[in-house]
């Protein structure tokens, strides 16, 4: 049976291992976050929606992102509720599970999908919030599902990928990824490669392409390697979603590498050492990576050349980076949303939300933010 550990615990174990036998005589202190530099004439974002729910534990990697479909925002509450808003008007609110909810929302094809730590997947009617069906999966659900071609694709935290019929909830197929002895408690979301193929990433640093309709695997590819000595030092999970950018597949891994694969040739184009458990961002032939130590790095998509590197936000526990208009945006542990010039890595603006920023998404040129304190906000450029 595989063992799931949280990222803070893994970092503590790695630090202890590096200190060595004399660690019982030393007090290992966590690095202090870099202070924020003052910005002259800084850009700011405009908040257009805000809603608070129950907070989550700091050590928990939950990605309780909100989703939007047909102008309606769908929000999940860890206490077990889901709500729908059009603007500031609440359309409905439904109590889904007494056991709480642990996955973000996926809203598409008239259905809202959420899941919990007991492996229960719930499908709600988008218009009314009424439960359409429920399915029992084999492990905790920690990341949003994917709805495509009438299939609900969900990854359980034991590495099993499930496909259910969106209309009926009937299981169509299941694909079991290999187990590993140790892994981080977290799971990337399934990602579309094309309308008939879904990409899923695993704790063993492989990416699998699976036919959405049949569940038949099309290919698999190892995207990172580890050189650690202990089990913890060899943790090499892919917890950030893979990114498809034209003919390229971009992945990041914890204590591993950022890797770019040419999907047409099925070959690694380049790979550079970088530890990250966040999704990379790809824009204008650049790959932007937020590393676990808070360093931001930009690479050339096709060559792997490092175009810039910034440690201004070092140890600020950064979220995944995203492009919003012409700015790169990343969140931090204090709820700040940093606007960055993607050409040189310079800070150009800042806005503030409530709580440690967990996930960022851009939908129709608006920034969707979720925090550990349960604050869901939507922002746009001025």
């Amino acid at each position: 049976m595989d063992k799931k550990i949280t990222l803070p615990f893994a970092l503590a174990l790695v630090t202890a291992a590096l200190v060595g036998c004399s660690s019982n005589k030393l007090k290992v202190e966590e690095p202090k976050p870099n202070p924020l530099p003052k910005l002259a004439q800084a850009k700011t974002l405009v908040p257009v929606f805000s809603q608070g729910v129950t907070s989550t534990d700091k050590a928990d990697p939950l990605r309780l992102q909100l989703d939007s479909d047909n102008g309606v925002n769908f929000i999940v509450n860890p206490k077990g509720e889901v709500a729908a808003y059009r603007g500031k008007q609440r359309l409905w609110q439904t109590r889904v599970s007494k056991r709480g909810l642990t996955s973000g929302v996926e809203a598409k094809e008239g259905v809202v999908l959420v899941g919990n730590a007991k492996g229960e997947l719930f499908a709600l009617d988008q218009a009314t919030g009424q439960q359409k069906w429920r399915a029992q999966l084999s492990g905790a659900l920690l990341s949003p599902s994917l709805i495509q071609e009438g299939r609900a694709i969900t990854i359980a935290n034991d590495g099993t990928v499930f496909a259910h019929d969106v209309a009926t909830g009937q299981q169509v197929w299941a694909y079991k990824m290999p187990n590993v002895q140790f892994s981080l408690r977290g799971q990337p979301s399934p990602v579309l490669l094309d309308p008939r193929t879904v990409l899923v990433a695993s704790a063993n640093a492989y990416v699998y392409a699976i036919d959405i309709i049949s569940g038949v695997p099309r290919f698999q590819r190892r995207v990172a390697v580890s050189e650690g000595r202990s089990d913890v030092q060899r943790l090499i999970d892919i917890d950030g979603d893979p990114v498809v950018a034209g003919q390229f597949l971009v992945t990041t891994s914890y204590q591993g590498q950022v890797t770019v694969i040419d999907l047409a040739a099925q070959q690694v184009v380049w790979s550079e050492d970088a530890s990250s458990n966040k999704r990379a961002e790809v824009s204008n032939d650049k790959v932007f990576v937020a590393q676990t130590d808070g360093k931001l790095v930009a690479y050339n998509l096709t060559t792997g050349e490092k175009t810039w590197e910034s440690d201004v936000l070092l140890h600020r526990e950064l979220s995944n980076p995203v492009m919003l208009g012409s700015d790169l945006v990343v969140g931090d542990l204090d709820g700040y949303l940093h606007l960055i010039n993607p050409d040189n890595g310079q800070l150009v603006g800042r806005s503030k939300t409530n709580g440690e920023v967990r996930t960022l998404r851009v939908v129709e040129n608006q920034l969707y933010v979720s925090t550990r304190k349960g604050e869901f906000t939507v922002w746009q450029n001025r």
Side-chain angles (χ1 to χ4, degrees):
M1 182 177 181
D2 61 336
K3 300 176 182 178
K4 305 289 183 179
I5 61 178
T6 62
L7 180 56
F9 184 57
L11 290 172
L13 289 175
V14 170
T15 301
L18 293 176
V19 169
C21 297
S22 62
S23 60
N24 59 343
K25 300 179 182 179
L26 297 175
K27 182 179 179 180
V28 180
E29 295 184 359
E30 293 185 3
K32 293 183 179 180
N34 271 16
L36 296 179
K38 293 183 179 180
L39 299 176
Q41 297 180 341
K43 291 183 179 181
T44 57
L45 300 173
V46 179
V48 295
F49 176 81
S50 178
Q51 182 64 40
V53 296
T54 305
S55 63
T56 58
D57 186 83
K58 182 174 176 60
D60 207 312
L62 303 184
R63 294 173 50 192
L64 295 175
Q65 68 183 34
L66 67 164
D67 201 6
S68 178
D69 193 35
N70 296 319
V72 177
N73 292 325
F74 299 93
I75 295 176
V76 58
N77 190 322
K79 279 191 172 181
E81 297 176 339
V82 179
Y85 290 84
R86 187 181 298 277
K88 295 181 179 180
Q89 179 189 7
R90 189 172 71 189
L91 303 179
W92 52 260
Q93 181 170 311
T94 300
R95 177 77 168 177
V96 179
S97 171
K98 294 181 180 180
R99 298 176 171 181
L101 294 170
T102 53
S103 76
V105 179
E106 167 75 352
K108 193 177 178 183
E109 297 185 13
V111 170
V112 179
L113 291 179
V114 290
N116 66 19
K118 299 299 182 180
E120 295 175 297
L121 180 66
F122 303 93
L124 311 179
D125 185 277
Q126 277 194 19
T128 66
Q130 295 298 308
Q131 182 174 309
K132 299 185 70 172
W133 51 264
R134 169 194 167 277
Q136 181 63 57
L137 278 58
S138 58
L141 307 182
L142 303 179
S143 62
S145 302
L146 171 72
I147 296 176
Q148 177 71 11
E149 296 288 338
R151 299 283 191 265
I153 311 297
T154 310
I155 308 175
N157 206 35
D158 68 349
T160 306
V161 187
F162 292 89
H164 291 84
D165 184 277
V166 169
T168 67
Q170 180 180 358
Q171 182 177 315
V172 182
W173 54 261
Y175 179 82
K176 179 66 174 176
M177 293 185 286
N179 273 328
V180 295
Q181 185 176 5
F182 286 94
S183 65
L184 297 179
R185 185 173 185 265
Q187 183 67 56
S189 299
V191 174
L192 277 184
L193 173 60
D194 58 52
R196 275 288 301 262
T197 310
V198 63
L199 293 175
V200 294
S202 71
N204 66 347
Y206 274 81
V207 173
Y208 301 85
I210 306 172
D211 186 278
I212 290 175
I213 304 301
S214 66
V216 174
R218 293 188 170 181
F219 67 83
Q220 65 182 51
R221 184 78 196 196
R222 188 177 182 92
V223 295
V225 295
S226 173
E227 298 178 354
R229 295 183 178 181
S230 69
D231 289 334
V232 174
Q233 289 173 327
R234 285 194 295 270
L235 284 173
I236 199 169
D237 294 44
I238 302 174
D239 274 5
D241 299 347
V243 181
V244 178
Q247 71 187 80
F248 300 108
L249 172 65
V250 182
T251 60
T252 56
S253 56
Y254 176 65
Q255 298 184 150
Q257 294 84 35
V258 52
T259 301
V260 174
I261 291 176
D262 186 318
L263 291 167
Q266 285 290 298
Q267 293 182 342
V268 173
V269 180
W270 59 268
S271 184
E272 293 290 336
D273 288 343
S275 177
S276 177
N277 64 332
K278 309 296 184 184
R279 178 189 185 276
E281 177 66 300
V282 180
S283 178
N284 293 328
D285 292 325
K286 288 189 179 71
V287 177
F288 303 100
V289 176
Q291 297 188 166
T292 52
D293 61 1
K295 186 179 294 183
L296 277 170
V297 186
Y299 303 89
N300 182 280
L301 174 62
T302 55
T303 68
E305 178 185 0
K306 190 180 295 184
T307 59
W308 57 259
E309 180 179 297
S310 173
D311 59 3
V312 174
L313 303 176
L314 209 62
H315 308 305
R316 295 197 64 84
E317 299 180 22
L318 301 183
S319 72
N320 60 299
V322 295
M323 285 296 301
L324 179 67
S326 61
D327 297 314
L328 184 71
V329 183
V330 66
D332 73 9
L333 78 170
D334 291 323
Y336 287 102
L337 301 170
H338 302 280
L339 281 66
I340 299 162
N341 185 330
D343 295 326
N344 56 26
Q346 297 297 310
L347 289 178
V348 295
R350 185 181 299 141
S351 288
K352 181 75 161 58
T353 185
N354 182 26
E356 175 192 344
V357 178
R358 284 292 175 89
T359 58
L360 300 180
R361 303 176 70 198
V362 174
V363 181
E364 296 181 351
N365 208 35
Q366 290 188 322
L367 179 68
Y368 286 63
V369 182
S370 63
T371 74
R372 186 185 68 81
K373 285 190 175 180
E375 190 75 13
F376 292 100
T377 51
V378 180
W379 306 71
Q380 63 185 21
N381 282 314
R382 287 190 180 277

